[in-house]
Amino acid sequence: MIKVKLLIVDDEELIRNVIKEYAKLENYEVDEAEDGDAAIEKALSKDYDVIVMDIMMPKMDGITVLKTIRSHGNSVPVLMLTAKAEIDDRVEGLDSGA
């Protein structure tokens, strides 16, 4: 059985743990990053099938992380998590490659 490789990027450990536990129930192989720097390092050093990433993080926000990953030619699908609800915020995420 081929496992889906998932990278979870969120500064809140509880959120990462919840997503990780559900993903493991579905046999996903899960890596975690708690900030944008770690996310970029992992995304560019390993092939993931999908990345689940928070937008609002300290140090570097998820949009900047996504743009950086895309600028290196990485086209992995990215699902953005956010509390932001404005249409402009959604458009910015999609325009960035989510």
Side-chain angles (χ1 to χ4, degrees):
M1 172 187 274
I2 297 173
K3 286 192 173 190
V4 174
K5 294 178 210 126
L6 169 67
L7 175 60
I8 303 167
V9 183
D10 200 303
D11 59 311
E12 294 190 37
E13 184 178 13
L14 180 61
I15 292 172
R16 288 194 319 268
N17 286 340
V18 168
I19 296 169
K20 177 175 62 178
E21 291 307 313
Y22 278 103
K24 285 185 173 183
L25 288 173
E26 297 297 325
N27 264 342
Y28 283 38
E29 179 183 314
V30 180
D31 287 338
E32 300 175 59
E34 63 184 30
D35 61 47
D37 291 334
I40 291 168
E41 181 181 325
K42 288 184 180 205
L44 297 180
S45 66
K46 185 174 179 180
D47 290 329
Y48 290 98
D49 296 301
V50 66
I51 297 173
V52 177
M53 181 162 31
D54 187 19
I55 289 180
M56 296 185 298
M57 296 184 289
K59 297 184 187 178
M60 186 183 307
D61 66 87
I63 297 294
T64 303
V65 173
L66 179 56
K67 287 179 180 178
T68 302
I69 291 169
R70 294 291 186 245
S71 75
H72 284 85
N74 189 316
S75 61
V76 62
V78 176
L79 175 65
M80 302 298 285
L81 301 177
T82 183
K84 295 182 173 187
E86 298 299 317
I87 291 175
D88 289 345
D89 295 321
R90 294 180 201 166
V91 170
E92 181 181 22
L94 292 171
D95 284 347
S96 299

